[in-house]
Amino acid sequence: MQHFPIFLDLADRPVVIAGNGAFALAKLKLLLKTTARLTVFAPEPEADLLETVTAQGVTLHRRAAEAHDLQGAALAYAAHGEADADARFARLARGAGVALNVVDNLEASDFITPAIVDRDPVTVAIGTEGAAPVLARAIKTDLEASLPTGLGPLARAGKLFRPRAEALPFGRARRDFWADYYFRTGPEVLAEAGEELLDHALEALLQQHLDAEQEPGRVDLVGAGPGDPELMTLKARRLLDAADVVIHDRLVPAAILELARREAEFIAVGKEGFAPSTPQDEINAHMIRHAQAGARVVRLKGGDASVFGRLDEETEALSAAGIDWSVTPGITAASAAAAAIGASLTRRGRNSDLRLLTAHDTKGFADHDWRDLARPGAVAAIYMGKRAARFVQGRLLMHGAEAATPVTLVENVSRPDQRIVTATLGDLPQTLSEAALAGPVITLIGLAPARAQAVLPDLLEEFA
Ligand code: SAH
């Protein structure tokens, strides 16, 4: 982020615009939304500009700006649309230490003006670092269509009522009140009774919320999927959005955590790679403590919460503590990896069952029905299998599996740094060590990528 978005208080502050024509007029119109003190420098103002300046009572000087004109200005706009005139004005602004925008000249500007959706006092500013104005305008059009025009009156009444709402305890109670107002009661009252009655409605609603009993805390155990935020369920997103506390595995990427409210409390637990993990008792204690304090807790787990996620240990602890809980499924790494290579996990005539296995259990390398897994056509997805590759290979070959059995390793499934590595059972340990996979890896035994482009990232890397 090169340009940091802020909202600048321009009330009664001097702002200088220099230019004769359409560019200056465009900036002027935008700035007329504020209560800044506007001054336009235009030696030869065009008719449209002159008309707006006169109609709005803006100060106009029919000359080029001089150094003293910029003293104390909050902002300056070089809007001549001519390089020489803009450069001259820019020097003056620089000399006076005033933040400058040169229209259509990103490099010469200190700040850029975003695309704006105006539902005063609600203002949405959209920026693309100057990279794609077309995109910014498209987003603006979308937002214009989706933000009700009633948002302005709702927010104005809401703003005045803020001190009264402090009668509700800070946190969820107050948030629920405002959500009720903005998304349910407010729009209804506005549509049926008009803006004047919003204040009454707020008062009545506040009373209702003060009288209502505090909902008890709870824990929702939610599968976050393999990493791509688009692979989350709508329910997971909704729960995350409502959470007061998010207790998440370290595997859950920032792009997903950002979907929670900024004020939510985040607690990272679990383990990364082979680093020591947070003891299960400690995780349980976090959940119970926050839920007992009345918080809505989301326990966010990578993939699906019920696959190698110690789900039962957590739900049993919650039940024992008398805390209400629910489970929301997520896309497990095996499903996402199969999708990444375009392959089917089951197939008529090839395999009618599918194993999800971990190569490790509490006692070390995990034992399985190797004879069954070694059958031709068998498919298994191995979780946490990186270090156990040689062990798994040895067991399978010993029980009669073919060395040519396809094996596909998918690292960081569904994330920007996803890698697909193809191997056979015979060369698995060697391929794995050559690939030096540092992220989480799912190993698909018995599956090869279904189409050429699935392996493209690998090939590209080889030829790079
Ligand atoms: N509950 C998770 C699994 C947790 S066990 C799920 O359903 O996916 C952790 C193991 O899952 C990792 O060692 C790795 O084998 C696998 N895994 C989880 N996320 C992954 C990802 N994005 N890419 C590759 N493997 C992943």
Side-chain angles (χ1 to χ4, degrees), residues 45-61:
E46 287 174 15
D48 287 354
L49 178 64
L50 200 55
E51 194 181 309
T52 304
V53 158
T54 315
Q56 302 288 333
V58 174
T59 310
L60 170 71
H61 295 292

Side-chain angles (χ1 to χ4, degrees), residues 118-243:
D118 178 10
R119 295 286 187 275
D120 188 46
V122 178
T123 311
V124 185
I126 305 148
T128 61
E129 299 277 11
V134 178
L135 189 60
R137 274 197 294 277
I139 296 170
K140 175 180 153 79
T141 309
D142 273 1
L143 287 173
E144 292 281 6
S146 63
L147 291 181
T149 41
L151 208 57
L154 280 183
R156 271 195 296 277
K159 189 176 173 190
L160 291 176
F161 199 75
R162 282 188 83 86
R164 292 278 298 118
E166 279 168 22
L168 286 163
F170 176 78
R172 184 150 55 95
R174 218 180 282 173
R175 222 170 40 245
D176 286 351
F177 165 75
W178 285 119
D180 196 343
Y181 167 66
Y182 278 110
F183 300 111
R184 203 174 60 89
T185 317
E188 274 170 26
V189 171
L190 192 62
E192 284 162 26
E195 188 172 352
E196 307 73 51
L197 287 187
L198 281 176
D199 193 47
H200 283 291
L202 276 163
E203 197 59 58
L205 191 64
L206 177 64
Q207 213 48 56
Q208 247 179 49
H209 278 252
L210 284 170
D211 295 345
E213 271 205 26
Q214 270 275 20
E215 243 182 85
R218 57 174 294 108
V219 178
D220 296 296
L221 300 112
V222 175
D228 179 352
E230 294 209 356
L231 292 181
M232 291 173 75
T233 60
L234 291 174
K235 188 167 183 181
R237 302 227 13 192
R238 184 170 57 69
L239 289 170
L240 197 52
D241 187 55

Side-chain angles (χ1 to χ4, degrees), residues 332 334-335 338 344-347 350-357 372-373 375 377-383 443-445 447:
T332 191
S335 295
S344 182
L345 287 169
T346 61
R347 178 170 173 156
R350 182 191 66 195
N351 64 317
S352 56
D353 66 3
L354 161 73
R355 310 293 177 91
L356 303 184
L357 21 129
D372 206 34
L373 286 165
R375 274 184 302 122
V379 174
I382 305 185
Y383 289 71
T443 307
L444 300 172
I445 305 273
L447 289 183

Side-chain angles (χ1 to χ4, degrees), residues 223 225-228 249 251 271 273-274 301-310 330-337 356-358 382-386 410-415 418 439-443:
D228 179 352
D249 288 356
L251 215 54
K271 62 176 181 176
F274 283 80
K301 291 164 170 284
D304 183 88
S306 73
V307 178
F308 304 122
R310 298 186 174 189
I331 294 181
T332 191
S335 295
L356 303 184
L357 21 129
T358 172
I382 305 185
Y383 289 71
M384 299 173 277
K386 257 193 298 189
V410 191
E411 180 196 31
N412 296 316
V413 179
S414 85
R415 301 179 193 198
Q418 168 177 297
V441 172
I442 189 98
T443 307

